[in-house]
Amino acid sequence: MQASGFYCGYQSGEAPVIVAGPGCLATVIFDGQCRAPAQAGLISTGLRLLEPAGIRETLVTTDACVSDYSDNLYWAQSDELLLLAVWVDEGGDESLERLTEQAYSRLLSTMQERGYSYMVRVWNYLADINAFEQQEERYRQFCVGRFDAFARHGVQDKDFPSACALGHSGGDLVIYLLASKHPPVHFENPQQVSAYHYPEEYGPRSPSFARASLLTLADGTDKLFVSGTASVVGHMTRHPGDVQGQLAVTLHNVDSLLAHVLASQSRGSEDRLAVEVLKIYLRHPADLAVVKAGVLQHFGDVPMVFVAADVCRSDLLLEIDGLWRLTR
Ligand code: 3EB
């Protein structure tokens, strides 16, 4: 663990299982089947792990934290950070749109009650994200529910958190997030139309997220949460059906975003953004070797996991997100 207020790391299956405890906000597992976990502090995502085998992700703070879990809602908090996770069983009659709105309303209300007003980063995972229900793609229904909850709680464009939204192969909708008492600074990508300004052809309500969020912690560290980044330029998918082409555009998008953040935050020429962890989502596990080679060449040997997941636009083959640290 590093000497900073928040750290995200990957831990192999041979290491002792940290679930939750002093300093550990949560342990994220890539279990292939998303269910409200039996054990508090474990975040079941439904994502299927490709590599490295047996890896779990730990979300850790160097400060003491307290946590609790009831009625499918988990929370863990330190003095400055709140982690929330909620699981929603879609087995009933309610539409995904309504269930998403209710889940987000519950998360936003819990943030308010506990005094952590600002979303920093949100992870959204749901079954069959590209399937159609009631003539509408499920990802688009999800976007409507999220949009409505944000509107109802007064969350404006400028407060939209960094995020990712991916599909798993079955089970619950899970949404987990990191919230803060102090507002982060959110960024857009100069290469891309803001997702919240995407034209209507991508759905009746635009996706409500920022491209990256910079959070300054009490100990002075600056953490940059980079949203799921894919082969989208302007608002259009580039290189449909071509994984090499999509990877090149995705890496270029990440670089452009990082350069933009650095230019706006930098106080000196020595400032750097250093990658801490990466997550790579692949629609087709068969693309692992080619994507891994490209990612290693680009970022070097940094902690990374590869998971099988459906990207929210059906023509996107991969998405990359991660955490960076701004060093001054
Ligand atoms: C894109 O750029 C790809 O709906 O929360 C990336 C990150 C994407 C987050 C979300 C969607 C989301 O539009 C998709």
Side-chain angles (χ1 to χ4, degrees):
M1 196 165 63
Q2 285 179 224
S4 78
F6 176 77
Y7 185 64
C8 176
Y10 297 128
Q11 186 194 58
S12 95
E14 286 90 57
V17 186
I18 301 170
V19 176
C24 186
L25 293 165
T27 298
V28 180
I29 55 169
F30 310 104
D31 50 354
Q33 184 65 25
C34 191
R35 291 284 171 236
Q39 218 173 348
L42 216 51
I43 299 185
S44 164
T45 61
L47 300 172
R48 199 158 58 74
L49 185 60
L50 297 172
E51 244 190 63
I55 283 282
R56 294 182 288 262
E57 180 178 0
T58 50
L59 306 177
V60 176
T61 147
T62 48
D63 304 321
C65 61
V66 287
S67 60
D68 197 18
Y69 177 49
S70 70
D71 197 15
N72 293 352
L73 183 109
Y74 172 73
W75 62 262
Q77 69 186 51
S78 68
D79 276 350
E80 57 181 338
L81 296 173
L82 172 68
L83 182 122
L84 290 177
V86 67
W87 290 264
V88 181
D89 181 346
E90 289 194 60
D93 294 332
E94 290 277 31
S95 67
L96 175 59
E97 182 182 313
R98 276 292 292 152
L99 292 172
T100 303
E101 189 195 344
Q102 289 164 2
Y104 263 100
S105 287
R106 208 175 160 201
L107 293 167
L108 290 162
S109 300
T110 308
M111 283 168 47
Q112 288 310 322
E113 283 158 22
R114 309 203 75 83
Y116 302 76
S117 304
Y118 302 96
M119 287 179 283
V120 179
R121 175 57 155 106
V122 187
W123 292 261
N124 303 282
Y125 302 126
L126 55 141
D128 307 321
I129 195 166
N130 303 128
F132 279 71
E133 270 171 16
Q134 288 120 30
Q135 282 90 56
E136 188 70 277
E137 190 189 26
R138 279 168 52 79
Y139 172 61
R140 296 176 179 203
Q141 288 196 36
F142 163 85
C143 284
V144 175
R146 173 173 59 180
F147 181 97
D148 289 348
F150 282 4
R152 193 136 66 84
H153 288 258
V155 181
Q156 299 172 352
D157 296 7
K158 65 175 177 49
D159 304 316
F160 287 170
S162 47
C164 59
L166 293 118
H168 56 58
S169 51
D172 293 353
L173 160 68
V174 59
I175 304 169
Y176 67 98
L177 62 81
L178 197 67
S180 168
K181 285 184 182 164
H182 303 289
V185 182
H186 301 294
F187 294 90
E188 292 305 304
N189 189 327
Q191 299 293 310
Q192 300 180 305
V193 172
S194 296
Y196 46 85
H197 290 149
Y198 279 170
E200 231 183 303
E201 62 192 275
Y202 300 101
R205 291 287 179 269
S206 301
S208 310
F209 70 95
R211 300 295 180 180
S213 305
L214 186 70
L215 183 67
T216 302
L217 296 165
D219 69 356
T221 22
D222 289 303
K223 297 284 186 173
L224 183 74
F225 294 84
V226 171
S227 289
T229 304
S231 180
V232 173
V233 177
H235 56 74
M236 285 170 58
T237 299
R238 287 290 164 94
H239 305 295
D242 167 11
V243 71
Q244 288 274 21
Q246 289 201 10
L247 177 61
V249 172
T250 300
L251 294 172
H252 184 248
N253 278 343
V254 172
D255 286 349
S256 303
L257 175 64
L258 297 176
H260 169 63
V261 171
L262 200 58
S264 85
Q265 292 297 304
S266 184
R267 291 173 202 153
S269 57
E270 297 299 297
D271 295 5
R272 295 282 178 274
L273 275 164
V275 61
E276 294 194 334
V277 285
L278 296 171
K279 197 176 287 150
I280 299 99
Y281 305 88
L282 297 177
R283 182 181 295 277
H284 303 304
D287 292 335
L288 177 63
V290 59
V291 173
K292 186 179 173 185
V295 170
L296 279 172
Q297 194 188 9
H298 193 80
F299 292 107
D301 187 17
V302 300
M304 58 178 80
V305 294
F306 293 84
V307 292
D310 295 329
V311 187
C312 61
R313 275 189 200 180
S314 55
D315 55 6
L316 288 172
L317 301 172
L318 72 120
E319 191 168 299
I320 298 178
D321 68 23
L323 183 61
W324 272 255
R325 186 180 66 256
L326 177 62
T327 59
R328 298 183 193 276

